[in-house]
Amino acid sequence: MPSPSVSETIATAKKSGRGVVIGYLPMGFPDLATSVEAAVALAEEGFDVLELGVPYSDPVMDGPLISRSTQRALEGGFKLRDLFPAISEITRRVDIPVLVMTYWNPVVQYGVEKFTTDLLAAGAKGLITPDLIPDEADEWLDISERLGAERVFLAAPSSSDERLARAVEESRGFVYAVSTMGITGTRAGVDQAAHTVVSRLREQHADSVCVGLGISTGEHVDEVLAYADGAIVGSALVRALDEGGLGQLRAVAAGLTKHSGLQAR
């Protein structure tokens, strides 16, 4: 039985009065087989959605930790063609939706329609595209709509109201609210800017908003789920996998997913 879409997963969580926790890991780190096991481990430890990153040679939004991990994946021989069989193996073993986070150039080089077709055939639901804005996404909007792929655009503290409105209009699944200006990485606290961005997105009638960048503890998850529909955790999981392998990853993941009770807004 296929897993639900991201939209369905968030809607189901809302009905039960909680938020979703989304886990990011780069594919191919520390090697391809382990990255598959790591993704499965997140699902087994209670994450609601998987966000799998495509290693890229110029990761302009990624902080040092994730940049190093994706560079190690590339040095270890990861190729874009490895992505689809790896996702197929993951989706065969988990019952939660999978999104792929990728910079846009690899998709263009592969062919947007072929990439989307292969992605969906592997069981993934769609893409998060951090460096692609809706105003420049005509081909992706057309193909994703036609093939039924979910698409997630980013909204930043610096975004104009017009840009936020467009992100809300064109996103399918959720809008990704960037919690801070700058690059990814764990922080002592989640910026107040996150709350402001989510509020502004609500004013644009956003149905589902998830917050990412800087969320690394259960307390951060609690804080975010008080006002958003989902919390996205990345660097904390990558660090755990790097420092302590699958065992430490599972321990950190279990601590994070205990904090998904959605407080009343």
Side-chain angles (χ1 to χ4, degrees):
M1 181 176 177
S3 62
S5 67
V6 176
S7 297
E8 291 167 339
T9 297
I10 293 174
T12 299
K14 283 183 182 181
K15 287 178 182 176
S16 62
R18 68 179 191 88
V20 300
V21 186
I22 299 171
Y24 166 88
L25 287 171
M27 295 308 301
F29 173 78
D31 56 68
L32 190 60
T34 304
S35 68
V36 170
E37 296 303 320
V40 173
L42 293 188
E44 291 175 347
E45 295 300 336
F47 275 76
D48 299 286
V49 178
L50 296 177
E51 176 189 343
L52 304 178
V54 176
Y56 183 51
S57 57
D58 186 25
V60 293
M61 272 192 62
D62 296 333
L65 180 67
I66 291 177
S67 292
R68 284 196 301 271
S69 68
T70 56
Q71 186 60 38
R72 279 178 56 184
L74 293 171
E75 291 171 353
F78 179 89
K79 303 294 184 188
L80 191 57
R81 63 175 177 268
D82 298 325
L83 176 69
F84 305 103
I87 290 175
S88 293
E89 175 64 12
I90 293 165
T91 58
R92 183 182 67 81
R93 296 170 59 186
V94 308
D95 59 1
I96 63 173
V98 171
L99 289 171
V100 167
M101 193 287 282
T102 180
Y103 293 97
W104 194 238
N105 188 57
V107 181
V108 172
Q109 296 299 317
Y110 192 90
V112 179
E113 182 150 0
K114 178 172 172 51
F115 190 102
T116 308
T117 300
D118 290 353
L119 183 78
L120 296 175
K125 302 302 180 182
L127 293 177
I128 300 171
T129 52
D131 63 340
L132 181 70
I133 61 174
D135 290 352
E136 300 172 357
D138 287 351
E139 184 179 13
W140 169 230
L141 294 175
D142 174 67
I143 290 171
S144 58
E145 201 72 30
R146 181 157 41 85
L147 298 182
E150 292 184 293
R151 54 181 185 256
V152 175
F153 291 106
L154 272 62
S158 59
S159 298
S160 66
D161 288 343
E162 292 76 15
R163 179 67 58 81
L164 294 183
R166 192 78 199 281
V168 169
E169 178 186 0
E170 301 297 359
S171 290
R172 301 289 184 271
F174 61 89
V175 182
Y176 190 133
V178 178
S179 70
T180 187
M181 299 298 291
I183 57 178
T184 62
T186 56
R187 291 172 176 80
V190 179
D191 292 4
Q192 177 61 29
H195 201 311
T196 301
V197 173
V198 173
S199 296
R200 292 176 64 205
L201 287 166
R202 301 287 190 208
E203 290 171 1
Q204 300 296 337
H205 310 293
D207 182 52
S208 297
V209 182
C210 299
V211 173
L213 277 67
I215 301 171
S216 59
T217 68
E219 289 69 30
H220 290 166
V221 172
D222 273 345
E223 180 184 336
V224 165
L225 294 184
Y227 58 86
D229 303 296
I232 303 167
V233 185
S235 294
L237 299 173
V238 177
R239 177 176 288 108
L241 182 60
D242 186 30
E243 294 178 352
L246 292 171
Q248 188 166 326
L249 175 68
R250 284 185 177 276
V252 169
L256 289 160
T257 55
K258 292 176 183 175
H259 292 259
S260 58
L262 186 60
Q263 301 173 26
R265 296 195 185 95

